[in-house]
Amino acid sequence: MARYTGPICRLCRAEQKKLFLKGERCKSDKCPINKKRSAPGKDPKARAGKRSEYGTQLREKQKIKRMYGMLEKQFHLTFEKALRMPGVTGDNLIRLLESRLDNVVFRMHFASCRNQARQVVLHRHVMVNGRIVNIPSYQVKPGDVIEVKERSKKLAVIQDGLKEVEKSGTAPWITLEEGAVKGTFVQYPRREEVTDLADVKEQLVVELYSK
């Protein structure tokens, strides 16, 4: 399965924005964005001129794609699926991204970041409706019950992720069972409910792919 294997923090530096790709490290003083490090590459100031319309659209697409840990082909296929769905294409795109199994595992705090959630799924620690699913891109549907296998509940990576529940709670479209590493995907999120994507402009992605 294709995946990005390069330096993670480099992606945040390229976007000059925290993409929260490394869990707790992103919230610490070790984050390169906190240190105000420049964008990667040789002499980035020489490339810091006014961005074209295409450049702005491209950066927005790259930002969303990297936040969800996807490569170009997979992201483009997701967009094509959103385009065929009824309704607003940008909203459909966010809905499809948010209902990926690796993202739902992250939202339920069974992992501290999406990259970690992807590994939890790939290593067969997660069940959907009582059945093991090890496909990170699996589309979760309203009413689906997601839980960690009994033998995996004590894993440090999962226990560390669950500590975040008390700090920030859960997304409004998800419910967690108290005392169990188990939750329900209640409904697809409305665009305005995904508050950590408030500064994301998915319409620019629609414009980019429509050219």
Side-chain angles (χ1 to χ4, degrees):
M1 183 181 292
R3 61 189 179 92
Y4 175 77
T5 57
I8 298 296
C9 291
R10 183 186 179 93
L11 301 182
C12 296
R13 288 172 57 210
E15 306 303 332
Q16 289 296 288
K17 172 185 169 58
K18 286 191 178 189
L19 302 181
F20 296 98
L21 304 178
K22 297 190 78 171
E24 288 300 317
R25 181 184 173 89
C26 298
K27 301 172 187 176
S28 72
D29 294 335
K30 295 180 180 179
C31 177
I33 299 298
N34 290 342
K35 298 177 181 178
K36 297 186 172 17
R37 291 182 61 186
S38 61
K42 184 178 180 180
D43 195 13
K45 290 183 180 179
R47 299 181 275 108
K50 185 176 180 181
R51 200 173 276 167
S52 66
E53 179 185 17
Y54 171 79
T56 302
Q57 294 167 346
L58 179 63
R59 288 266 57 88
E60 199 66 22
K61 186 261 291 183
Q62 293 292 81
K63 179 170 68 176
I64 299 173
K65 185 181 74 173
R66 288 166 172 172
M67 286 178 72
Y68 286 92
M70 302 168 72
L71 296 184
E72 180 60 33
K73 183 178 180 180
Q74 191 178 30
F75 187 80
H76 198 176
L77 288 173
T78 303
F79 174 81
E80 291 292 336
K81 185 175 180 179
L83 191 62
R84 294 192 297 269
M85 293 167 60
V88 180
T89 301
D91 292 354
N92 291 340
L93 177 62
I94 297 300
R95 191 179 94 168
L96 289 173
L97 294 173
E98 282 294 319
S99 56
R100 284 171 54 96
L101 180 57
D102 55 357
N103 181 75
V104 174
V105 168
F106 164 68
R107 293 291 189 193
M108 289 183 171
H109 301 299
F110 298 163
S112 59
C113 63
R114 290 184 178 90
N115 286 339
Q116 206 173 68
R118 178 188 178 95
Q119 292 300 313
V120 169
V121 174
L122 283 171
H123 293 169
R124 303 174 63 85
H125 297 304
V126 174
M127 297 192 296
V128 179
N129 299 327
R131 181 173 61 91
I132 292 175
V133 178
N134 66 336
I135 303 171
S137 61
Y138 177 88
Q139 286 289 312
V140 178
K141 300 178 179 61
D144 283 352
V145 176
I146 292 85
E147 62 182 313
V148 174
K149 287 193 313 184
E150 189 63 37
R151 288 191 300 174
S152 305
K153 289 180 179 178
K154 298 299 182 182
L155 288 175
V157 62
I158 293 169
Q159 290 300 314
D160 288 345
L162 287 171
K163 293 176 184 176
E164 190 64 28
V165 175
E166 295 181 3
K167 298 178 184 177
S168 57
T170 57
W173 58 93
I174 284 169
T175 60
L176 283 181
E177 290 190 19
E178 189 173 351
V181 192
K182 180 179 182 180
T184 303
F185 186 78
V186 179
Q187 61 187 20
Y188 293 117
R190 297 191 301 274
R191 178 62 184 92
E192 60 272 16
E193 289 181 315
V194 193
T195 54
D196 58 346
L197 299 185
D199 65 338
V200 166
K201 301 179 180 65
E202 64 275 5
Q203 183 57 33
L204 294 178
V205 181
V206 178
E207 294 171 5
L208 176 67
Y209 280 133
S210 298
K211 291 187 176 184

